[in-house]
Amino acid sequence: MTERAARKVPIRTCVGCEQERPRSEFLRVVRTPEGQVVVDRSGRTPGRGAYLCPSRSCFAQAVKKKRLARTLRAPVPDEVMRQVEEWLDG
Ligand SMILES: [Zn+2]
């Protein structure tokens, strides 16, 4: 990757392994301004975001340490957890 590209890419931290990566490599889970927690496939949903590597071990760590809920400052519905798992399978 060139320096120019690297500077343009927003860097985020995984809620599982805490490694930094370009935002585009993560799955984003968002708490919307209405307080709803959703899986953000477009990367454009407004709200507070939590980022997760496409990795089962990161998901497991995030679940174990309750990092998703902590980062989002909201409980994460089972349906959202299921969607994240589906995304990891796909
Ligand atoms: Zn990770």
Side-chain angles (χ1 to χ4, degrees):
M1 190 184 281
T2 66
E3 252 184 66
R4 200 165 136 241
R7 252 189 285 137
K8 279 193 169 181
V9 175
I11 300 298
R12 295 292 183 267
T13 306
C14 174
V15 292
C17 64
E18 294 180 58
Q19 275 186 18
E20 295 185 338
R21 291 173 183 257
R23 193 189 138 146
S24 57
E25 292 182 15
F26 285 119
L27 174 69
R28 184 168 181 253
V29 180
V30 179
R31 178 169 60 87
T32 68
E34 292 77 33
Q36 216 188 351
V37 175
V38 295
V39 176
D40 177 26
R41 289 179 188 275
S42 68
R44 292 191 187 123
T45 306
R48 185 181 180 84
Y51 297 86
L52 190 70
C53 302
S55 152
R56 286 211 160 261
S57 66
C58 290
F59 180 62
Q61 282 186 72
V63 170
K64 197 172 158 191
K65 296 173 185 170
K66 299 184 167 49
R67 284 248 184 78
L68 271 174
R70 191 167 300 170
T71 301
L72 296 170
R73 296 180 189 157
V76 180
D78 290 346
E79 172 63 18
V80 170
M81 296 308 248
R82 202 177 54 76
Q83 283 176 23
V84 172
E85 280 198 282
E86 268 177 21
W87 179 82
L88 291 170
D89 288 336

